[in-house]
Amino acid sequence: MNRNAAAAATAKSQHGTTHYRQTRVLVVDDQPVNREIVKGLLAVCEVEADLATNGQEAVERLKEAGPQAYDLVLMDVQMPVLDGLAATRAVRELPGFDRLPIIAITAHTMAHEIQRAITAGMSDHLGKPFDRTRFYAMLERWIPTEKQFCPIDHPPVTAATTGGLPALDGVDTVAGLALVLGDEARYRHWLMSFIHDGPASLAQARQALAAGDRDAAAIAIHTLKGRSGMLGMTALQTLAARLEATIEASTDEPEAQHKLEQAVETMCSQIRATIGEAPSAPAPASGPGTPITPDDCNRSTTA
C-alpha cells in the first residue's frame, strides 16, 4: 500500500464515510419520500442517482442501459406493477447482469424474508428504517474500491441540532431528521405529507379487507409501516407491523386495526397542530454542497 492509500485508509477508519467518483446507482422504490431520502444520502458523497418507481421500470431501465451502466441497484421489495423480488429475478436473467450488486432496502426484516430476497438473487439487505451510518457502510461494502477516494465527515444530527422542530409524541425526530441530513424544511414537508398519506393507506387497507383482498390490504399497511419508520414514528410503525402480521396470517384484526387507526389519527392531529397542514408540492431537496475532489483528499491525507 502506498503512502496516500495508507493515509486514506487511516482517515477512513477515523471518519467512517467515503466519497466516490463516477459512481451511478439506480434507486427503485414506489414511495416518493423513500426515493428522496436515498437520493439525498447519495448526493452527499457525489453518487449519481437514477430513480425508478417499480420493478418493471427498473428492469427496462437496466436492460436499455446495459450491465456496465450502474455500480449498484437499491431495490425496494414490495412495489406495484412488479415487486423487487420478481424484478431481481428478471434482471439476473439478462446477459451480463449476474454480478451487478442489487441491495434490498425494505421493511421486511425477518430472517425468512431476508433469505427470500437472497434466494431471488439479491446481494444484500438493508432494513427500513435505516440510519445513515449503516447506509454508507453498505455503499462502501459494494461499490468498487477503485471508486472510493476520500473520507468525508458528517456531523451527527442530535437533539441540539433540530432547530425549531417541535417535539412530537411517539416520534424520534432526531432519527428522522438525520435521514434527510438535518434538512428541517424537507423533514417538515414529509411530516406534513403524512396528514394525507397515513389515512390514505388506512383507507386502502379497509377497502381491500372489505373486498376480501388480504394481499392488497397487507401491501397498504406495509407502505404505512415503511413510511412511519422512515419518519421516525417508532410507536406507529410497531402498530402497523402488528396489523400487517395479522393480515398476512389471515387472523382477526379488528383490535389491531382500531389501535393503528387511532394512532394515525392522533399523529395527524399532532402534526396539524404543531407544524401545519399538508403541503401542495414537495419541498426542494438540498444539494450535496461543495464537491470534494481527489486533490482535496490528497492534501488532507498526506499532510
Side-chain angles (χ1 to χ4, degrees):
M1 182 181 294
N2 60 35
R3 183 169 176 260
N4 286 356
T10 300
K12 182 185 294 185
S13 67
Q14 293 172 344
H15 294 278
T17 306
T18 302
H19 197 75
Y20 301 91
R21 66 161 68 86
Q22 297 179 342
T23 300
R24 190 177 177 194
V25 170
L26 180 61
V27 180
V28 191
D29 199 302
D30 63 313
Q31 294 299 306
V33 61
N34 295 341
R35 293 195 302 271
E36 182 178 324
I37 285 173
V38 173
K39 184 177 181 180
L41 291 170
L42 293 172
V44 167
C45 49
E46 299 298 323
V47 174
E48 180 183 355
D50 289 343
L51 308 178
T53 60
N54 60 65
Q56 186 61 46
E57 186 180 336
V59 174
E60 292 171 358
R61 183 82 59 86
L62 290 167
K63 184 176 181 180
E64 180 180 356
Q68 305 304 317
Y70 293 98
D71 298 281
L72 190 70
V73 177
L74 302 177
M75 182 84 75
D76 188 21
V77 170
Q78 199 143 322
M79 295 180 288
V81 185
L82 189 69
D83 66 43
L85 300 180
T88 298
R89 287 190 287 265
V91 169
R92 293 306 186 204
E93 293 177 356
L94 297 174
F97 282 90
D98 55 319
R99 292 184 176 274
L100 175 66
I102 301 177
I103 313 301
I105 297 188
T106 175
H108 287 300
T109 57
M110 297 184 68
H112 73 278
E113 293 169 330
I114 296 173
Q115 184 56 52
R116 186 170 60 175
I118 300 301
T119 300
M122 291 183 163
S123 310
D124 205 345
H125 178 278
L126 185 62
K128 296 177 187 174
F130 52 80
D131 59 45
R132 65 185 186 182
T133 299
R134 289 191 294 135
F135 181 84
Y136 287 132
M138 181 271 300
L139 291 184
E140 188 174 330
R141 184 161 60 249
W142 289 102
I143 292 175
T145 55
E146 60 268 21
K147 294 191 174 187
Q148 304 177 16
F149 74 87
C150 187
I152 55 178
D153 189 17
H154 302 299
V157 175
T158 66
T161 62
T162 54
L165 195 66
L168 294 168
D169 290 340
V171 183
D172 185 345
T173 54
V174 174
L177 194 59
L179 275 181
V180 292
L181 301 169
D183 189 329
E184 186 177 318
R186 289 173 67 201
Y187 186 49
R188 282 174 176 267
H189 165 80
W190 291 115
L191 284 172
M192 290 187 293
S193 293
F194 187 84
I195 296 172
H196 289 161
D197 298 339
S201 292
L202 286 177
Q204 291 171 1
R206 283 195 298 267
Q207 292 170 2
L209 288 172
D213 190 344
R214 303 185 76 87
D215 288 341
I219 289 173
I221 298 303
H222 179 82
T223 297
L224 177 60
K225 180 180 73 172
R227 168 66 65 89
S228 58
M230 294 294 273
L231 292 176
M233 301 174 180
T234 52
L236 201 154
Q237 182 195 20
T238 298
L239 292 174
R242 289 174 183 169
L243 179 55
E244 182 186 21
T246 62
I247 292 173
E248 291 179 340
S250 297
T251 56
D252 292 336
E253 65 283 326
E255 183 180 356
Q257 184 175 337
H258 178 66
K259 287 183 177 180
L260 180 59
E261 289 176 347
Q262 282 190 320
V264 169
E265 182 179 353
T266 299
M267 183 63 66
C268 291
S269 296
Q270 270 200 101
I271 294 170
R272 191 177 287 110
T274 59
I275 296 179
E277 289 291 342
S280 57
S286 298
T290 304
I292 300 174
T293 68
D295 288 340
D296 294 329
C297 185
N298 290 338
R299 281 194 295 270
S300 64
T301 58
T302 59

